[in-house]
Amino acid sequence: MNDDDVEAVATVLRGDWLTTGPTVAAFERALEQLTGADRCVTVTSGTAALHVAYAAAGVGPGDEVVTTPMTFVATASSALALGATVRFVDVEEDTANIDPEAVAAAVTDRTTVIAGVDYAGHPIEIDAINEIASRAGALVVEDAAHSIGSTYRGRPVGSLADLTTFSFFPTKNLTTAEGGAVATLDPDLGARAHRFHNIGLVRDPDLLRHPDEGPWHQEVHEWGLNYRLPDVLAALGHSQLRRLSAFKARRAEVFARYQQGLAGVDGIRLPTRRAHVDPIWHLYPLRVLEGRRRTVFEAMRADGVGVQVNYLPVYWHPVFEDLGMRRGMCPNAEAFYAEELSLPMHVELTDDDIDRVIDSVTTALRG
Ligand SMILES: *Cc1c(COP(=O)(O)O)cnc(C)c1O
């Protein structure tokens, strides 16, 4: 947070529109500019964004959503909430992103959506996924909670998949406290997303079934929820968005300093980056080998370093176990989870902080 962020929020608080006002619209237009999407709809969280995206895609009972287990549970649970069947497929061994070959093997004529996650900020192999989806008659949802500002072959995240979702939770690359957005390339999907996040309300006189009811009249044709992001929070997001490229640059420096400082250290494996992507690094996912991840995690926490593990394979959550899903289903994801240790990654880390983290890792590995 800087003073501009605080002032932007205060201006809205002193103004006429707390919600449904011009600051929401301005933030959405700025997101469209950044992403190259036809339309962006802001919502109250990344989870809401996924729910809206799946609803806009028409996901319902009987439909299958093919997705990755190496993500936060919401990527899958928001599809369950619409009555869909979730099919987990394995990830690529190096990036931990959904594996296009595994997707191709899993799609059926009931697959409505293929949902990938740009793990750590590194975009999925979208060209391959889009091709599989178009052959299968499915839509692609890209969960870009980690990757606002990343590019794939020079194209920005948000302009790659049919629907892209963002999270603006404080741990992410830019924040509105709680918040998120859906970006889409298709005006129809955009209209559906907008309706679902606004209770399903229809006001356009041309679309009303009962247009003569009166000037107050509005209708619901398909149900929706209230997922509207208020102007108060859109102001924070819009202000933060102006610094996104500075955030990306600093995150790249943090990433590079870790790569350099940890190169050649035994017992670990460093994250990979493919040549055709330019990620905004949300995580620095180190891999700790030889079954020592937990020891290193505990030693670093005891040393005051806020390491984390991202993520428990989603089908290990009891809600999926109770649907009959068993461990062993996605070996690459499980092997990745067993080794993964996220080092601190944010824009306010100083070079000294980073060096202290590197020291802490190497000391923990020696211990
Ligand atoms: C954070 C996150 C979400 C959920 O976002 P919220 O804003 O916390 O609801 C979904 N998917 C991924 C990959 C995330 O990291």
Side-chain angles (χ1 to χ4, degrees), residues 45-47 50 71-72 74-75 117 143 145-146 167-169 172 179 311:
S45 70
T47 303
L50 286 157
T71 183
F72 183 61
T75 315
V117 175
D143 179 343
H146 299 181
S167 165
F168 305 136
F169 189 70
K172 306 297 164 72
Y311 294 95

Side-chain angles (χ1 to χ4, degrees), residues 15-93:
D16 291 333
W17 296 89
L18 293 175
T19 190
T20 73
T23 310
V24 167
F27 183 36
E28 290 178 345
R29 300 299 82 77
L31 288 168
E32 286 158 9
Q33 280 231 311
L34 173 84
T35 58
D38 177 75
R39 182 156 190 193
C40 288
V41 177
T42 53
V43 295
T44 47
S45 70
T47 303
L50 286 157
H51 196 192
V52 169
Y54 291 137
V59 168
D63 293 331
E64 291 178 357
V65 172
V66 173
T67 192
T68 168
M70 191 39 61
T71 183
F72 183 61
V73 64
T75 315
S77 55
S78 52
L80 279 191
L82 289 160
T85 301
V86 176
R87 299 255 178 257
F88 291 101
V89 299
D90 211 351
V91 297
E92 299 169 333
E93 197 275 333

Side-chain angles (χ1 to χ4, degrees), residues 91-249:
V91 297
E92 299 169 333
E93 197 275 333
D94 56 347
T95 62
N97 277 342
I98 195 166
D99 182 349
E101 281 181 31
V103 173
V107 292
T108 71
D109 53 9
R110 290 196 310 208
T111 306
T112 313
V113 164
I114 299 166
V117 175
D118 299 332
Y119 179 82
H122 189 299
I124 53 174
E125 286 302 337
I126 192 69
D127 287 347
I129 305 271
N130 277 341
E131 199 181 307
I132 296 160
S134 73
R135 262 188 276 132
L139 295 176
V140 176
V141 171
E142 185 175 355
D143 179 343
H146 299 181
S147 62
I148 188 165
S150 293
T151 64
Y152 175 91
R153 297 190 193 284
R155 288 133 58 197
V157 164
S159 68
L160 305 173
D162 297 293
L163 292 145
T164 303
T165 63
F166 299 110
S167 165
F168 305 136
F169 189 70
T171 58
K172 306 297 164 72
N173 300 319
L174 86 90
T175 190
T176 59
E178 298 282 358
V182 181
T184 178
L185 300 173
D186 177 332
D188 275 352
L189 290 175
R192 288 174 58 83
H194 189 271
R195 271 201 302 281
F196 188 82
H197 105 300
N198 191 35
I199 310 129
L201 289 172
V202 174
R203 293 199 178 102
D204 180 346
D206 294 340
L207 300 178
L208 293 176
R209 187 175 299 176
H210 306 288
D212 301 327
E213 188 63 28
W216 56 85
H217 183 62
Q218 47 186 342
E219 298 176 345
V220 170
H221 299 179
E222 284 182 285
W223 68 275
L225 294 166
N226 178 354
Y227 280 150
R228 294 185 305 255
L229 188 74
D231 286 57
V232 179
L233 299 183
L236 178 54
H238 197 186
S239 176
Q240 292 243 316
L241 192 60
R242 296 190 175 97
R243 303 203 298 290
L244 186 66
S245 56
F247 293 164
K248 181 176 178 177

Side-chain angles (χ1 to χ4, degrees), residues 295-306:
T295 320
V296 172
F297 179 100
E298 287 174 347
M300 292 184 72
R301 279 287 179 102
D303 190 28
V305 177

Side-chain angles (χ1 to χ4, degrees), residues 291-324:
R292 304 192 59 217
R293 191 270 310 276
R294 182 165 185 163
T295 320
V296 172
F297 179 100
E298 287 174 347
M300 292 184 72
R301 279 287 179 102
D303 190 28
V305 177
V307 287
Q308 195 43 283
V309 170
N310 305 90
Y311 294 95
L312 185 80
V314 170
Y315 57 84
W316 289 22
H317 283 279
V319 63
F320 290 99
E321 277 181 343
D322 292 351
L323 294 171

